[in-house]
Amino acid sequence: MNRAFSRKKDKTWMHAPEALSKHYIPYNAKFLGSTEVEQPKGTEVVRDAVRKLKFARHIKKSEGQKTPKVELQISIYGVKILDPKTKEVQHNCQLHRISFCADDKTDKRIFTFICKDSESNKHLCYVFDSEKCAEEITLTIGQAFDLAYRKFLESGGKDVETRKQIAGLQKRIQELETENTELKNKVQDLENQLRITQVHASPAGSVTPKSPSTDIFDMVPFSPISPQSSTPTRNGTQPPPVPSRSTEIKRDLFGAEPFDPFSCGAGDFPPDIQSRLDEMQRHRWLVYHILIMVFKAFTIEMCMCSCLVSIFMNMYVHMQKLSCNF
């Protein structure tokens, strides 16, 4: 292993400074993985991490798993590890958290860097495999460090502190959003439990009113003979008793009395409606008598037809007998 960069004034870098300060330099590589290390820097620390991740990758390869490909975006703000197809950010390693970067001189395809995790504050070693660009990627990260350090000296450290504050605020916002989501889920669970408790159980000493039984249409059946509670009126007098009805009245499947406007009294409707009901009553009786007359005529006609048929049958039998005699 070898340190990839050093801050020398006469150092000649391969990229234009604007490419790293205003944009980023992309690279494609295979991601062997990351593992926790005890020290933030050191050749032996990186070598042990590479050996460990290579062994784990060989086991996964024997099981048929391929090494995932990633895209690296290097700038003065850090190193982003993205999915090359969906461009989804898998890891965002800020530059001020990277403490060591090196490429393997024995295996020129391997390069690695150590970054302090922002959530766990643990040092993680990221290991990559690139057939042609391992040393170039290491030098690009070194150039990003050099440009970031110069910008830090020019701004007096204010730019780095501002980025740190922004990163801390973003982390706090994510924590608050996660906490808010968990609280919403807990409130929803408590509401569901409260509904279940109200439905299946009632507190001791209280009487839960029974809901009336419903019919097949989820409607409460109407019962006109339900008992009326004798509640005194405001002046203290008892209300007049409700006249009782006969219990022999037939009821429909909803538990209510069948409504017949023709059997209601004349004083139950206004005069115009009552006149129309009377007219409808007369029409009903007229249609009823007409239907009876038609039925009688039809019955008589059927009887005559049956008599004619029997006469014709007798004549046919008689003619057959005469033909046999001749």
Side-chain angles (χ1 to χ4, degrees):
M1 295 289 177
N2 187 25
R3 284 293 295 268
F5 54 88
S6 62
R7 295 191 182 96
K8 294 182 180 179
K9 294 183 179 180
D10 59 347
K11 186 72 176 180
T12 303
W13 300 108
M14 61 180 63
H15 301 290
E18 292 78 9
L20 287 168
S21 59
K22 297 182 180 180
H23 303 284
Y24 58 85
I25 305 298
Y27 290 101
N28 291 323
K30 293 181 180 180
F31 186 35
L32 299 183
S34 62
T35 182
E36 182 182 354
V37 292
E38 296 180 356
Q39 300 295 328
K41 58 183 178 179
T43 304
E44 293 297 329
V45 175
V46 172
R47 185 179 289 112
D48 292 339
V50 171
R51 189 183 301 110
K52 178 181 178 180
L53 291 175
K54 276 186 174 181
F55 180 74
R57 181 52 54 186
H58 282 306
I59 294 176
K60 292 182 179 180
K61 190 175 182 180
S62 63
E63 295 175 353
Q65 298 183 17
K66 294 183 179 180
T67 305
K69 296 180 179 180
V70 295
E71 178 182 341
L72 299 176
Q73 295 181 357
I74 303 172
S75 67
I76 62 173
Y77 301 105
V79 180
K80 288 185 178 180
I81 305 172
L82 299 88
D83 185 278
K85 295 182 179 179
T86 62
K87 301 300 179 181
E88 180 183 358
V89 179
Q90 299 177 354
H91 303 278
N92 186 11
C93 303
Q94 298 176 358
L95 201 66
H96 67 275
R97 291 184 174 274
I98 296 177
S99 57
F100 189 79
C101 180
D103 59 293
D104 193 347
K105 296 305 179 181
T106 59
D107 189 353
K108 295 185 178 182
R109 301 180 306 173
I110 302 298
F111 68 96
T112 179
F113 62 84
I114 298 176
C115 179
K116 188 176 182 180
D117 187 62
S118 59
E119 297 181 357
S120 62
N121 287 328
K122 296 179 180 180
H123 295 282
L124 301 178
C125 182
Y126 295 83
V127 181
F128 302 88
D129 183 348
S130 178
E131 294 183 0
K132 300 179 180 180
C133 303
E135 185 177 1
E136 181 180 343
I137 293 172
T138 307
L139 293 174
T140 303
I141 296 176
Q143 184 180 358
F145 265 102
D146 185 72
L147 293 173
Y149 180 70
R150 291 180 183 181
K151 191 174 181 180
F152 171 76
L153 294 178
E154 292 174 359
S155 62
K158 295 180 180 180
D159 189 26
V160 176
E161 293 297 328
T162 303
R163 289 203 302 271
K164 287 183 179 179
Q165 292 177 2
I166 293 174
L169 291 174
Q170 290 176 348
K171 179 182 176 182
R172 181 58 180 165
I173 289 172
Q174 292 178 354
E175 291 176 354
L176 291 175
E177 288 179 350
T178 305
E179 185 178 355
N180 189 23
T181 304
E182 292 176 355
L183 290 175
K184 284 183 179 179
N185 294 333
K186 289 181 180 179
V187 170
Q188 187 66 31
D189 294 338
L190 290 175
E191 289 180 354
N192 295 334
Q193 291 178 4
L194 183 60
R195 291 195 190 99
I196 295 173
T197 304
Q198 289 177 351
V199 171
H200 295 285
S202 60
S206 64
V207 179
T208 305
K210 278 190 173 182
S211 60
S213 59
T214 56
D215 54 16
I216 56 174
F217 300 101
D218 199 19
M219 297 177 65
V220 179
F222 172 71
S223 179
I225 58 170
S226 59
Q228 300 287 336
S229 59
S230 58
T231 305
T233 57
R234 292 182 179 180
N235 55 8
T237 61
Q238 294 290 336
V242 180
S244 61
R245 294 188 179 183
S246 175
T247 57
E248 297 179 357
I249 299 176
K250 295 182 179 180
R251 305 185 183 281
D252 55 12
L253 60 96
F254 299 103
E257 298 178 10
F259 175 72
D260 187 3
F262 302 105
S263 62
C264 295
D268 294 340
F269 301 100
D272 54 346
I273 298 178
Q274 186 63 40
S275 61
R276 291 188 180 183
L277 291 176
D278 294 339
E279 186 178 356
M280 291 172 64
Q281 177 74 359
R282 289 193 295 270
H283 288 170
R284 187 175 73 166
W285 284 110
L286 179 61
V287 171
Y288 176 71
H289 287 298
I290 291 174
L291 289 174
I292 291 177
M293 293 176 62
V294 170
F295 180 73
K296 288 182 178 180
F298 180 74
T299 305
I300 295 172
E301 186 176 356
M302 289 296 294
C303 292
M304 292 178 62
C305 289
S306 61
C307 292
L308 289 174
V309 169
S310 62
I311 291 171
F312 282 126
M313 289 296 294
N314 291 330
M315 290 176 63
Y316 178 75
V317 171
H318 185 66
M319 289 176 66
Q320 288 290 333
K321 289 181 179 180
L322 289 175
S323 61
C324 292
N325 292 333
F326 288 107

